[in-house]
């Protein structure tokens, strides 16, 4: 059993999957979207955490499959990348998390099968390259996470993040056109790919649209419980990654559906308007992608498939 250092000196106790951490500590509005249930620092200075992946999550397939979406690996990484800095590195609760890059690598032979209500996942977390401001609080860091289920390692993930206080964020985002996710109707004439070809449960899960041969970031449901848990003034990173995955599925004719590894590098914020273009080039078991907007490359990366 994995154990951790308790709050009292000399006390060692197991991780708990009994209840979620406070939603504010992972920047989620809905308790149902909180995956972390426990986080502890170990004697070595690293961290270990418990996460619960429910079959009721919006990303879980409804086609009879018993495997969680790879997005759960990345969302767990995102939540760890917020909770640990807030709890242990002096980052303000009002700070904004900016993802600079991320990767994930899943072993299909050892990943857990979702046979009941939720899958208990243990995370072993190493923090590196901590950058601090004048007051000693972290302004950036990198995480590397190992994921285990029933004692078996099944995935790795990691990435970098920056933390901006409200006044810093306002300066960075000065002049932006929108302050929250728009609720406007889609542009006339813009088609939407069939959900089945993209490997999603329903039309409301589709996050890309098409104008002729051009694929665009175009979420169907601006109230989607996972992608739009709370208002944002730019396209969330999870939508960027899912748009790349859906573009790969579309361009491969539905052949490349479930990536087992991927990398994403973000260079600029992706705005809601005008919709960013998704360029995706499948080649055998990989797909290279880019996001273009206003003549700039905003993000790029690669997805790999078994």
């Amino acid at each position: 059993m994995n154990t951790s250092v308790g709050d009292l000196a000399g006390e060692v106790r197991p991780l708990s999957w009994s209840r979620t951490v406070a939603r504010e500590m992972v920047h989620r509005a809905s308790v149902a979207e909180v995956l972390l249930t426990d986080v502890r620092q170990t004697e070595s200075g690293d961290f270990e955490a418990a996460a619960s992946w429910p079959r009721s999550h919006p990303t879980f397939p409804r086609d009879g499959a018993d495997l969680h979406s790879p997005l759960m690996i990345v969302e767990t990484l995102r939540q760890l990348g917020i909770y640990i800095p807030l709890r242990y590195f002096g980052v303000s609760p009002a700070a904004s998390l900016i993802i600079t890059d991320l990767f994930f690598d899943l072993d299909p032979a050892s990943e857990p099968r979702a046979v009941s209500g939720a899958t208990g996942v243990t995370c072993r977390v190493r923090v590196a390259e901590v950058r601090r401001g004048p007051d000693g609080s972290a302004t950036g860091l990198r995480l590397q996470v190992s994921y285990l289920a029933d004692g078996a390692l099944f995935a790795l993930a990691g990435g970098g993040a920056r933390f901006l206080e409200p006044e810093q964020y306002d300066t960075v985002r000065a002049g932006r056109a929108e302050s929250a996710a728009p609720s406007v109707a889609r542009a006339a004439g813009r088609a939407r790919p069939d959900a089945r070809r993209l490997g999603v449960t329903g039309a409301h899960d589709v996050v890309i649209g098409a104008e002729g041969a051009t694929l665009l970031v175009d979420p169907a449901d601006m109230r989607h419980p996972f992608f739009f848990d709370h208002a944002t003034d730019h396209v969330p990173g999870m939508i960027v990654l899912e748009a790349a995955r859906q573009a790969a599925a579309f361009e491969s004719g539905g052949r490349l559906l479930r990536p087992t590894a991927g990398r994403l590098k973000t260079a600029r914020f992706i705005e809601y308007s005008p919709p960013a273009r998704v360029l995706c080039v499948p080649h055998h078991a990989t797909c290279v992608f880019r996001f273009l907007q206003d003549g700039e490359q905003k993000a790029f990366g690669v997805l790999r498939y078994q």
Side-chain angles (χ1 to χ4, degrees):
M1 179 179 292
N2 293 291
T3 56
S4 58
V5 178
D7 294 329
L8 300 178
E11 179 190 2
V12 178
R13 65 176 181 80
L15 288 168
S16 172
W17 283 264
S18 295
R19 58 181 62 86
T20 61
V21 301
R23 59 188 176 86
E24 296 85 359
M25 294 293 285
V26 293
H27 290 184
R28 279 299 190 182
S30 171
V31 174
E33 291 300 318
V34 180
L35 304 181
L36 300 184
T37 61
D38 200 3
V39 181
R40 294 288 184 266
Q41 189 167 24
T42 67
E43 291 180 323
S44 68
D46 293 332
F47 298 87
E48 60 182 7
S52 180
W53 293 0
R55 287 176 53 182
S56 60
H57 196 268
T59 63
F60 193 81
R62 298 293 183 265
D63 58 1
D66 59 359
L67 294 174
H68 294 281
S69 166
L71 287 176
M72 295 294 273
I73 298 172
V74 181
E75 175 60 16
T76 302
L77 172 68
R78 189 195 72 83
Q79 293 190 16
L80 287 166
I82 297 172
Y83 185 96
I84 290 175
L86 289 181
R87 174 70 176 80
Y88 296 97
F89 288 89
V91 174
S92 163
S96 296
L97 166 73
I98 310 299
I99 297 173
T100 60
D101 64 284
L102 63 84
F103 78 89
F104 69 93
D105 194 344
L106 169 68
D107 179 7
S110 59
E111 68 176 309
R113 301 280 171 170
V115 296
S116 58
T119 301
V121 176
T122 300
C123 303
R124 295 174 180 168
V125 188
R126 176 159 292 181
V127 179
E129 301 179 29
V130 180
R131 300 177 297 283
R132 297 185 183 275
D135 63 353
S137 64
T139 60
L141 50 74
R142 298 192 65 81
L143 292 184
Q144 181 159 321
V145 184
S146 302
Y147 298 76
L148 300 92
D150 295 325
L153 177 68
F154 70 90
L156 299 173
R162 293 188 298 141
F163 308 103
L164 300 181
E165 293 301 322
E167 61 275 12
Q168 296 173 309
Y169 187 80
D170 288 345
T171 299
V172 169
R173 297 294 287 149
R176 62 186 183 269
E178 300 290 342
S179 60
S183 57
V184 297
R186 290 168 39 236
R190 187 178 301 160
R192 196 179 296 285
D194 188 292
R196 293 168 295 182
R197 183 173 177 176
L198 304 182
V200 295
T201 300
H204 74 289
D205 296 313
V206 177
V207 298
I208 60 174
E211 288 184 347
T214 301
L215 294 181
L216 302 170
V217 179
D218 183 26
D221 183 1
M222 302 304 291
R223 296 181 178 179
H224 194 283
F226 175 57
F227 295 123
F228 294 104
D229 169 76
H230 54 279
T232 63
D233 66 358
H234 62 277
V235 176
M238 295 303 294
I239 284 190
V240 175
L241 187 61
E242 175 63 3
R245 189 203 65 78
Q246 291 186 16
F250 181 82
E251 296 288 10
S252 67
R255 180 174 58 87
L256 302 179
L257 291 177
R258 189 174 189 268
T260 56
R263 290 185 176 273
L264 170 67
K265 172 71 175 179
T266 59
R268 299 282 190 276
F269 290 97
I270 296 179
E271 311 297 344
Y272 287 107
S273 181
R277 183 180 181 187
V278 191
L279 297 178
C280 186
V281 181
H283 181 69
H284 298 302
T286 66
C287 186
V288 177
F289 61 84
R290 295 192 297 155
F291 288 80
L292 303 178
Q293 189 175 52
D294 293 329
E296 292 184 292
Q297 178 171 276
K298 296 293 189 76
F300 60 93
V302 61
L303 297 172
R304 294 185 174 86
Y305 299 78
Q306 190 179 29

